[in-house]
């Protein structure tokens, strides 16, 4: 097809879960409740960090920043999803789709490196306890957070430009509930092999790279715990690290399956389910995984409750 024969697409249709029309209102209620609970849980962690001096440590500094990322991440996807659950016109403009993809990639990539930074913090706390305060200085923590945002920004810009410079023709129906790379590439009029290679390389850098760093950190952590610590210290260290490992596994596994499998293996229902895991379900579970298993958080909550009771 000649370039001049391409039909310019001005908007996309987000198919979402329109295949189950009788469940649209039920899905709206489920997603709305999930969104509200997630926002409140992440805001709670941020507030707890700000109002609890005993939590002003690198670990909780990263956790508070991670919660802020999660709030932005959810707000990029869910409000539009809620609108589409109640609307017959599930459209999004061409540029609106580009902005949504850019924000999603920025925040998702930033989360990957934030999780790696959190693993690095735990590695230093357990493997180098005497040097910990010197290694994880406040300026270092701030640089790691800024670095995560910069990497996310770079990935977002690069991938968004590559995808939206493709010529789209024919169908404008995106087989997902938000603007993601794989379903958009399937709408392109030309061979997308180059884009697939770039996506693979970026995915390796964004997902596999931080995952390997996290695995190496925890391999060293486990080795150190088993060698040096008493049974009581081992239990406390494993309790702290297990929460992070659960979050890392949930996030990385779903994202890896989504972006590293062959294009020919994309399945409509499977793809939406995987998208749900790392865009909605994981951000809902993360704050509870961190807080319910964390004694420091429980103690901080008790102190705040006691202050409120005294004030009243």
């Amino acid at each position: 097809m000649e370039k001049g024969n391409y039909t310019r697409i001005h908007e996309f249709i987000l198919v979402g879960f329109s295949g189950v029309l009788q469940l649209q209102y039920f899905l709206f209620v489920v997603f709305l409740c999930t969104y509200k609970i997630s926002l409140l849980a992440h805001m709670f962690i941020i507030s707890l960090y700000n109002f609890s001096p005993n939590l002003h440590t690198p670990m909780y500094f990263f956790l508070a920043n991670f919660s802020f990322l999660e709030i932005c991440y959810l707000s990029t996807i869910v409000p539009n999803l809620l609108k589409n659950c109640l609307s017959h016109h599930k459209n999004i403009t061409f540029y609106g789709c580009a902005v949504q993809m850019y924000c999603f990639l920025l925040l998702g990539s930033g989360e990957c490196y934030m999780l790696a930074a959190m693993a690095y913090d735990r590695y230093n706390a357990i493997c180098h306890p005497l040097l910990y305060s010197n290694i994880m200085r406040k300026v270092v923590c701030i640089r790691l957070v800024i670095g995560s945002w910069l990497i996310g920004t770079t990935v977002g810009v690069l991938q968004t430009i590559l995808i939206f410079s493709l010529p789209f023709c024919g169908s404008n129906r995106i087989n997902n509930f938000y603007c993601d790379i794989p379903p958009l590439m399937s709408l392109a009029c030309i061979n997308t092999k180059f884009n697939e290679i770039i996506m693979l390389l970026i995915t390796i850098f964004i997902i596999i790279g931080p995952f390997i760093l996290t695995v190496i950190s925890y391999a060293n952590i486990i080795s150190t715990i088993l060698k040096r610590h008493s049974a009581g210290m081992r239990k406390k260290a494993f309790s702290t690290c297990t929460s992070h490992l659960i979050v890392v596994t949930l996030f990385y596994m779903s994202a890896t399956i989504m972006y590293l499998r062959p294009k020919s293996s994309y399945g409509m229902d499977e793809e939406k389910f995987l998208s749900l895991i790392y865009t909605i379900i994981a951000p809902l579970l993360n704050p509870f995984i961190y807080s319910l298993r964390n004694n420091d958080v429980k103690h901080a909550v008790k102190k705040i409750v006691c202050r409120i009771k005294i004030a009243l």
Side-chain angles (χ1 to χ4, degrees):
M1 187 182 293
E2 294 297 326
K3 187 174 181 179
N5 291 333
Y6 294 146
T7 302
R8 180 170 176 78
I9 289 177
H10 297 283
E11 68 175 17
F12 294 100
I13 306 298
L14 293 167
V15 174
F17 303 95
S18 57
V20 282
L21 289 174
Q22 64 275 23
L23 296 178
Q24 289 295 292
Y25 292 107
F26 171 75
L27 290 175
F28 173 82
V29 173
V30 170
F31 291 140
L32 178 62
C33 292
T34 302
Y35 182 51
K36 285 186 174 181
I37 293 169
S38 298
L39 290 184
L40 289 172
H42 286 294
M43 288 177 182
F44 172 75
I45 287 179
I46 294 171
S47 300
L48 200 62
Y49 170 77
N50 287 326
F51 294 108
S52 302
N54 62 306
L55 296 184
H56 288 179
T57 63
M59 175 181 172
Y60 296 103
F61 172 76
F62 287 125
L63 184 56
N65 278 278
F66 183 73
S67 288
F68 177 72
L69 266 174
E70 292 270 70
I71 290 172
C72 298
Y73 185 72
L74 280 164
S75 299
T76 298
I77 305 294
V78 181
N80 193 64
L81 172 61
L82 293 173
K83 177 184 76 71
N84 287 340
C85 282
L86 299 179
S87 174
H88 294 293
H89 305 288
K90 305 177 187 298
N91 61 310
I92 184 170
T93 65
F94 182 89
Y95 293 108
C97 188
V99 170
Q100 186 183 60
M101 177 183 282
Y102 166 73
C103 293
F104 167 73
L105 292 170
L106 184 162
L107 297 164
S109 303
E111 280 194 11
C112 288
Y113 276 88
M114 191 74 73
L115 288 170
M118 293 165 76
Y120 177 67
D121 170 68
R122 291 299 83 207
Y123 163 75
N124 284 306
I126 294 171
C127 298
H128 305 291
L130 298 178
L131 299 173
Y132 178 69
S133 58
N134 188 48
I135 295 172
M136 299 303 296
R137 302 187 310 276
K138 188 171 183 179
V139 65
V140 173
C141 296
I142 292 172
R143 285 173 181 172
L144 287 171
V145 170
I146 292 174
S148 299
W149 279 94
L150 289 177
I151 290 171
T153 301
T154 304
V155 170
V157 169
L158 179 61
Q159 281 283 48
T160 303
I161 289 174
L162 283 172
I163 294 299
F164 284 88
S165 61
L166 290 172
F168 298 104
C169 59
S171 175
N172 65 339
R173 296 171 65 84
I174 297 175
N175 185 29
N176 212 324
F177 55 89
Y178 67 101
C179 295
D180 199 8
I181 296 172
L184 270 166
M185 280 202 297
S186 67
L187 301 181
C189 301
I190 61 173
N191 189 304
T192 58
K193 199 69 179 177
F194 173 75
N195 294 77
E196 289 175 43
I197 293 171
I198 295 298
M199 185 180 76
L200 176 63
L201 294 174
I202 291 177
T203 301
I204 291 172
F205 173 70
I206 292 300
I207 298 177
I208 303 302
F211 180 71
I212 291 173
L213 292 174
T214 302
V215 169
I216 292 173
S217 296
Y218 276 98
N220 281 287
I221 287 170
I222 293 169
S223 175
T224 302
I225 291 172
L226 294 176
K227 287 178 182 177
R228 303 180 189 173
H229 294 75
S230 64
M233 290 294 289
R234 286 177 190 174
K235 184 178 179 180
K236 183 179 179 181
F238 275 124
S239 177
T240 302
C241 295
T242 302
S243 300
H244 188 225
L245 279 173
I246 293 171
V247 172
V248 166
T249 302
L250 186 64
F251 183 83
Y252 282 127
M253 281 189 65
S254 56
T256 300
I257 295 170
M258 183 70 182
Y259 292 105
L260 288 182
R261 59 185 177 154
K263 184 179 178 182
S264 58
S265 68
Y266 292 160
M268 182 168 60
D269 296 329
E270 180 187 0
E271 183 174 313
K272 290 175 186 176
F273 176 72
L274 288 170
S275 297
L276 272 176
I277 290 177
Y278 68 81
T279 59
I280 297 177
I281 297 174
L284 170 66
L285 297 177
N286 290 346
F288 297 101
I289 292 171
Y290 278 118
S291 59
L292 292 178
R293 297 180 56 86
N294 195 302
N295 289 326
D296 292 335
V297 171
K298 292 176 184 177
H299 291 152
V301 171
K302 288 179 182 178
K303 286 182 178 180
I304 290 176
V305 170
C306 290
R307 287 180 199 168
I308 293 173
K309 286 182 178 178
I310 293 171
L312 295 175

